[in-house]
Amino acid sequence: MKITKVLRVAAREFASTAITKGFIIGALVLPAVMAAVIPVVMVLAMRAQPPADTGTIYILDHSAEVTTVLDERLDPEAVKERWIQRFDRSIKSAKKLMPQVGGAAVENSREQVESIIKSPVFRIIPAGTDTDLEELKEELRNQVASKATLDDEQHRLLAIIEIDADATLKVNEDEGYGAYQAFFRPKLNEETVGEIKDGVRWSIRQKRYENADLDRTMIAEINSIQARDSKEITEEGERNEASAIASFAIPFVAMILLLMASMTGGQYLLTTTVEEKSNRVVEVLLSAVSPLELMTGKIIGQMGVGLSLLTIYNSVGIIALIVFKRGDLVTPLTFLYLFIFFILAYFMFASLMAAIGSAVNDLREAQSLMTPVMLMMIMPYIFFMPVIRAPNSLFSTITSFIPPVSPFIMIMRVSSTDPPPFWQVGLAIILNMIAVLLFLWFAAKVFRVGLLMFGKPPNLRTLIKWVRMA
Amino acid sequence: MTQAVSMDGVRKTFGRKVAVEGIDLTIPEGSVYGFIGPNGAGKTTTIRMIMSILFPDHGDLSVLGKKSAVESKDRIGYLPEERGIYKKMKVGSFLKHIGRLKGLDSRGLNSTVMEWLDRVELAEVHKKKCEELSKGMQQKVQFIASVLHDPDLIILDEPFSGLDPINMRLLRNLINDEHAKGKTVIFSTHVMHQAEQLCDHIVMIHQGKKVLDDTLEDIRTRFDPRAIHVDPIGGMEKADEIAQLSGVSHVSPVEGALEVVLHEGIEPQIAMKSLLEAHPMNRIEIKRPTLEDVFIEIVTGGKRGEDAAQLRADLLAGTKNEEEEVAS
C-alpha cells in the first residue's frame, strides 16, 4: 500500500465533501445562526407577552365570607406585585444555573420589570345569593356569542365563580368541606385562569384557617424546611450532589455528538462510493490505485470530515461552558475519550458504508442493505435511558463492551457523574479495536469484488459469498 | 525483445460462466496489438486481468517484467471500456488528480495537462466542470487521463466507440504518435476495420478463447482468399463464360461484382491478366481478406453456408450499431 496514493485519495475525498457550500452552510453557518437567533427569540418571547386580560369576575358566594378576601387577593396592584416577584425568582434561579448570564445580561431595574410584566386587571362583582347561576352563565354565553367589542373592557365578563356554603366551614364534622366551581370565557390566557383559580383557592383556604383558628404564617413556617447542605461523600472528599445537567445532559450530548459525527462521515462515504461506482470512475481509479488503497483513502478522508464536525461542535460546547462558568461539568479526559471513541465508532460505520456503497448501483438499492447500520444507530437511543440512570449497572457494563454499540455506551458512562474504572474503558477500547479490524477486513473483501459488479443488487448472503471469494 | 505482457494459460470464471479460457499470449514491447472479437468475447476480462483489476483463477501473467500490474501501475495507462469521470470536478483538477494518483509530481503537472488539452483541441475547457462537456469531449479527456503520465504500456478498451469520424482520426493519430515513441499499445475493438487501420498484430478472441494471434501481414497471406473481383462490361451474364477460363475454380456473384475463385497454384497477378484479355472489364481487383472474413473463416472452420451467413450478419449488426452510436 502506497501512503502517498492513500493520502491523495483522502485529500480529494475530504475536499470534495467538506469544501463545498452545502457542507459549510450545514456545519458552520446553521449552528451559528441558531446560536445567534435563540437568545433573540427568548428576549422577544419575554417582551411580547400576550395582552393582559381585563374584565369582570362574578362571584356567587354562598358561604358569604370568601368574596372580601378574594377581592383583596385579586386586586390589580396585588396581582402585579406577585407577578413581579415571580419574575424575580425565575431570574434568580437562572443566575444560579448560569452565573455569567444572570450577572450581566438580565439585570433589570424595577421600572424595566414593571414595564415588561403585563398582569391582568380584575373587577370582582358579587352576585346576590339568590341569583340564578344559569342566568349568569347565559350572560357570559351571550357576550361570547355577540362577538361585539365592548365599549368598556371592564364589562368583559371573564369568569363566574360559585362557592358552596360549606366551603369554608364544615356543617357536619364527619363530612368534608364544600367545593367551588368556575366557568370561564374561552381563550383566556393560561396565566389569567391560573391566577383566578389560585386566588379562589387561596381565599377559601384563608377562611378555613381563620375558622379553625389556625395561624397561616405559622403553618407556612412549619412547612418550610431548608437544607443547609446536601453533598456526597466520596473517596476524594465531599462533592455537590450531581445536578440534572451533569448526570443527564452531558452524557446524552456526548453520545449524540459521537453518533452525529460518525454517522455524517459514514453517510458521505456511502454517497461518494456509490457515485464513483455509478459514474464508472472507479475503474479509472483502480488503474492507478489498488482497491485497498482506494478504500483506505476514502475512509480516512471522511474521517477528516467527521473530525472537523466533532471539533467544531466541541469548540462551541467548550465556549458555552466557559461563558456559563460550568467548566466543572466536563474534564479534558471526556474530550479525549470522545475523540478515541469517535475513531472507533467511525471506522465500524465507515467499513459498513464502504462495503454497502461498493456493492450497490445506486443509493436506492443501498437502503435494503442498511438494516445493520440502522440497528447500530438506534441501539444507543434505546439503551440511553437505562445506561444514564445507572451507568455502572450490570446491563450498562456489559453493553459497553459489545461492539458496535460499545463506543456509544462507553462515552455515556465515562462522561457520567460516576465514571467506570479505567480498566473497563481500556478493555472496551481494545475490544473495539479488534472489532474495527474485523469490520475493515470484511469491508475490504466486499469492496474489492463489489466495485466492478454491476447489475442485480446483492443481498447479505451474496456479500458473504463475495467475502469468501475475494 | 522484452515482453510488455505475457500470459500463460490464463483462465477466469465468473460463477459457472467461463469468461476467459486458457489464453497464452506474449506482447513484445513497442508493438501495437489489437484485441478483436464480438461483444462478450472476453476482451474486457482479459484486459482487466492484465490491469490486475481482476485476478486469473489459473495461469501465469506478467506485465512489464513484473508479476502483476499492481507493481507497475504507474507505467501503465488504461482507458476502461466504461468511461468514468467525476462529474462535478473541473476538467483541469480531474486530470491533475489522476496524474498525481499515477505518481506524477505536482510541479509541472499543470503545464503537462494544458499541453495535452491543447493537443486534443480542448484547451479552453480546463476550467469547465466535466459534466458540462459533450460525450466526445469527455472521452478525449479520459484518453488524456490514461496517457498523462507518459506510460510505457497503453491499454485502451474500445477507444473509438462514441467518437465522430474527425475525432476518430485525431485519436488514431495520437495512438500512432505514442507508438512512434516506442510505447506498447494494446487496444480492443469489436469493429474490425479499426484494428486493420492501426494494428501491426491482431489477437482474435472468441468465446473466451484465443483463435488467432498473428501480424496483419501474415494474416493476409495466410487467409488469402485467392479470389479476384471483376465487373465485366456486358454484365453478369458473362459469369458462365468466365467460369470456363483456365485456372478458375468457380464464379459467384457478390454485391455488384463477380467473385472469381482461382485454383491452387495460380498466381492472382497472372490470372488478372488473362481475365482482362478474355473480357473487357469496368473494374478488376484482387480480393483482400478483411478481418471479418478471417474471423468468420476461423470460427466456422472454413465452412460456408448458413452458419457463416448468420455470423457475418451478427458481425455486421455489431458494426452497424457502432455506426448508429456515432451518428447519434
Side-chain angles (χ1 to χ4, degrees):
Chain A
M1 204 154 71
K2 271 199 187 139
I3 297 300
T4 49
K5 291 194 174 186
V6 171
L7 292 180
R8 185 68 220 144
V9 174
R12 199 210 87 90
E13 188 77 18
F14 180 79
S16 72
T17 306
I19 308 178
T20 59
K21 272 180 225 143
F23 182 84
I24 291 169
I25 290 172
L28 293 177
V29 179
L30 219 62
V33 167
M34 273 168 68
V37 162
I38 286 172
V40 173
V41 170
M42 273 165 67
V43 168
L44 283 181
M46 217 153 79
R47 305 258 154 177
Q49 283 178 354
D53 287 307
T54 299
T56 301
I57 299 168
Y58 282 148
I59 176 153
L60 190 55
D61 183 4
H62 297 292
S63 73
E65 49 178 17
V66 175
T67 311
T68 41
V69 186
L70 183 65
D71 198 32
E72 274 171 39
R73 180 77 185 168
L74 292 187
D75 177 73
E77 283 306 309
V79 172
K80 180 146 202 167
E81 186 57 36
R82 275 203 303 280
W83 281 43
I84 289 170
Q85 276 173 15
R86 201 184 307 151
F87 182 80
D88 282 346
R89 269 203 303 278
S90 65
I91 291 293
K92 245 180 230 157
S93 58
K95 273 185 197 169
K96 215 170 166 187
L97 202 63
M98 301 179 266
Q100 196 61 32
V101 171
V106 197
E107 199 63 78
N108 292 299
S109 68
R110 171 88 194 178
E111 287 76 33
Q112 278 175 321
V113 176
E114 273 182 40
S115 72
I116 295 171
I117 299 290
K118 291 186 188 125
S119 56
V121 179
F122 300 125
R123 192 175 59 137
I124 310 285
I125 296 188
T129 37
D130 52 347
T131 317
D132 184 10
L133 177 66
E134 289 309 314
E135 260 174 50
L136 297 176
K137 285 208 265 183
E138 189 60 31
E139 193 185 335
L140 179 54
R141 198 172 297 127
N142 289 339
Q143 258 196 30
V144 173
S146 78
K147 284 185 182 129
T149 43
L150 295 163
D151 300 337
D152 190 352
E153 276 224 309
Q154 282 207 355
H155 292 298
R156 193 163 163 257
L157 190 50
L158 297 180
I160 302 159
I161 310 288
E162 185 185 36
I163 291 162
D164 291 353
D166 57 350
T168 55
L169 187 67
K170 287 184 194 172
V171 179
N172 189 335
E173 265 308 309
D174 302 336
E175 284 170 30
Y177 285 110
Y180 78 95
Q181 50 180 341
F183 304 92
F184 292 98
R185 164 188 284 272
K187 290 176 192 159
L188 287 182
N189 292 336
E190 219 175 289
E191 290 84 359
T192 307
V193 174
E195 188 66 44
I196 296 171
K197 279 189 183 166
D198 282 348
V200 172
R201 291 154 66 90
W202 192 91
S203 307
I204 293 176
R205 208 176 282 133
Q206 176 68 19
K207 286 325 273 187
R208 285 186 188 170
Y209 286 136
E210 280 174 22
N211 292 338
D213 216 7
L214 294 169
D215 182 357
R216 183 163 200 163
T217 346
M218 197 178 85
I219 290 168
E221 270 175 20
I222 289 169
N223 273 329
S224 154
I225 304 164
Q226 303 278 337
R228 191 181 310 110
D229 220 344
S230 174
K231 284 189 170 165
E232 288 178 349
I233 305 279
T234 64
E235 293 158 89
E236 296 92 38
E238 294 176 15
R239 68 174 186 198
N240 286 332
E241 270 181 311
S243 68
I245 297 196
S247 65
F248 189 89
I250 296 290
F252 182 68
V253 169
M255 186 269 279
I256 293 290
L257 267 182
L258 188 63
L259 197 60
M260 207 185 58
S262 45
M263 261 322 279
T264 309
Q267 196 70 48
Y268 278 124
L269 185 67
L270 176 74
T271 317
T272 61
T273 310
V274 170
E275 209 176 274
E276 275 165 6
K277 196 182 164 188
S278 62
N279 268 350
R280 314 284 168 140
V281 82
V282 66
E283 208 171 336
V284 180
L285 296 177
L286 286 186
S287 74
V289 297
S290 70
L292 194 63
E293 283 167 344
L294 181 62
M295 191 183 88
T296 315
K298 287 176 73 66
I299 290 181
I300 291 175
Q302 294 297 357
M303 185 174 80
V305 174
L307 275 177
S308 313
L309 275 183
L310 199 60
T311 311
I312 291 167
Y313 290 132
N314 272 342
S315 313
V316 172
I318 291 172
I319 291 168
L321 287 173
I322 289 171
V323 168
F324 297 147
K325 296 201 169 145
R326 288 312 302 263
D328 59 308
L329 289 178
V330 287
T331 61
L333 201 61
T334 315
F335 289 104
L336 178 69
Y337 281 141
L338 198 54
F339 279 98
I340 292 175
F341 284 113
F342 161 73
I343 305 238
L344 294 168
Y346 167 76
F347 267 102
M348 287 186 265
F349 259 129
S351 308
L352 287 180
M353 292 299 208
I356 293 171
S358 71
V360 299
N361 303 307
D362 56 42
L363 277 177
R364 201 169 32 83
E365 283 175 13
Q367 291 310 319
S368 59
L369 287 170
M370 288 289 274
T371 320
V373 183
M374 289 298 162
L375 269 179
M376 194 174 154
M377 225 179 78
I378 291 166
M379 291 291 221
Y381 284 106
I382 299 175
F383 294 163
F384 152 68
M385 258 306 176
V387 171
I388 280 194
R389 280 215 188 111
N392 289 313
S393 67
L394 186 65
F395 174 78
S396 303
T397 311
I398 289 173
T399 48
S400 71
F401 288 137
I402 302 174
V405 288
S406 158
F408 303 100
I409 307 293
M410 209 36 138
I411 197 68
M412 289 196 272
R413 294 186 64 202
V414 293
S415 60
S416 75
T417 45
D418 223 351
F422 181 75
W423 70 264
Q424 288 193 5
V425 185
L427 180 63
I429 291 176
I430 291 168
L431 289 174
N432 275 303
M433 272 158 64
I434 294 169
V436 163
L437 290 179
L438 280 172
F439 272 71
L440 281 175
W441 172 84
F442 166 81
K445 298 264 176 183
V446 173
F447 197 80
R448 218 187 93 182
V449 179
L451 276 183
L452 293 173
M453 288 274 186
F454 295 97
K456 199 169 81 89
N459 50 27
L460 271 180
R461 200 186 302 163
T462 330
L463 288 190
I464 288 160
K465 209 176 85 191
W466 288 359
V467 171
R468 291 216 190 106
M469 210 165 112
Chain B
M1 203 190 284
T2 42
Q3 309 300 336
V5 175
S6 80
M7 301 173 92
D8 185 15
V10 167
R11 184 185 151 90
K12 178 77 188 172
T13 55
F14 295 110
R16 244 174 272 160
K17 190 179 166 266
V18 182
V20 169
E21 199 166 7
I23 286 191
D24 304 315
L25 185 66
T26 54
I27 299 175
E29 275 182 8
S31 54
V32 178
Y33 258 62
F35 284 13
I36 62 173
N39 296 326
K43 301 186 296 286
T44 297
T45 307
T46 310
I47 284 176
R48 282 180 175 172
M49 282 193 288
I50 296 176
M51 281 309 300
S52 293
I53 287 170
L54 296 176
F55 293 91
D57 304 333
H58 296 287
D60 293 321
L61 200 152
S62 87
V63 181
L64 294 174
K66 300 276 169 57
K67 263 286 158 213
S68 85
V70 175
E71 293 159 56
S72 44
K73 270 196 161 140
D74 294 349
R75 290 175 58 206
I76 305 173
Y78 175 50
L79 175 70
E81 182 185 14
E82 302 280 3
R83 312 289 187 251
I85 209 157
Y86 281 117
K87 285 186 189 143
K88 300 280 173 204
M89 239 175 159
K90 294 199 173 115
V91 172
S93 332
F94 172 71
L95 288 174
K96 277 187 264 181
H97 176 62
I98 299 290
R100 268 183 236 138
L101 280 185
K102 285 286 194 179
L104 284 184
D105 201 0
S106 308
R107 263 177 305 147
L109 187 55
N110 205 33
S111 57
T112 316
V113 167
M114 288 311 293
E115 265 167 47
W116 266 107
L117 284 172
D118 210 30
R119 274 181 81 179
V120 301
E121 295 153 16
L122 285 178
E124 73 287 359
V125 306
H126 78 285
K127 282 240 159 94
K128 280 195 180 172
K129 281 185 181 169
C130 291
E131 61 187 349
E132 292 170 44
L133 302 188
S134 74
K135 216 178 151 196
M137 285 164 138
Q138 285 186 5
Q139 188 149 344
K140 289 199 276 185
V141 169
Q142 283 147 357
F143 176 77
I144 297 176
S146 65
V147 293
L148 189 63
H149 57 298
D150 197 25
D152 299 323
L153 172 62
I154 303 167
I155 301 176
L156 310 166
D157 202 352
E158 299 278 0
F160 297 103
S161 71
L163 286 183
D164 62 36
I166 295 169
N167 281 318
M168 268 192 200
R169 191 192 294 162
L170 177 72
L171 184 55
R172 207 156 56 220
N173 291 338
L174 290 174
I175 294 173
N176 279 329
D177 289 350
E178 293 300 311
H179 182 213
K181 282 198 275 180
K183 309 295 166 106
T184 314
V185 180
I186 301 171
F187 78 94
S188 79
T189 177
H190 67 276
V191 184
M192 307 219 178
H193 73 260
Q194 288 168 348
E196 285 175 51
Q197 287 169 331
L198 259 175
C199 301
D200 46 38
H201 207 111
I202 299 287
V203 173
M204 222 176 246
I205 296 171
H206 179 58
Q207 291 175 349
K209 288 185 194 129
K210 186 178 84 172
V211 290
L212 180 70
D213 178 6
D214 223 335
T215 63
L216 205 51
E217 215 160 294
D218 285 347
I219 290 170
R220 289 209 170 116
T221 323
R222 187 140 63 93
F223 291 89
D224 190 348
R226 313 184 49 69
I228 296 170
H229 281 179
V230 298
D231 179 9
I233 293 175
M236 300 302 160
E237 299 91 72
K238 302 285 180 187
D240 289 342
E241 276 179 49
I242 292 170
Q244 302 305 318
L245 293 173
S246 71
V248 175
S249 155
H250 61 271
V251 174
S252 53
V254 288
E255 296 160 7
L258 293 172
E259 185 170 301
V260 181
V261 182
L262 305 176
H263 280 302
E264 290 283 329
I266 304 290
E267 272 299 309
Q269 303 293 342
I270 295 163
M272 269 170 86
K273 217 176 191 176
S274 52
L275 274 168
L276 275 171
E277 280 165 6
H279 282 279
M281 302 285 180
N282 285 329
R283 181 165 68 92
I284 180 163
E285 63 188 8
I286 293 174
K287 188 194 172 189
R288 302 244 290 172
T290 65
L291 284 174
E292 269 164 40
D293 296 328
V294 172
F295 183 69
I296 289 160
E297 176 95 13
I298 290 170
V299 171
T300 59
K303 277 178 285 179
R304 289 171 193 271
E306 260 175 49
D307 281 358
Q310 183 57 44
L311 197 63
R312 180 177 282 269
D314 288 350
L315 274 169
L316 284 175
T319 318
K320 212 168 265 166
N321 284 341
E322 191 66 23
E323 276 157 10
E324 273 161 20
E325 218 171 89
V326 172
S328 67

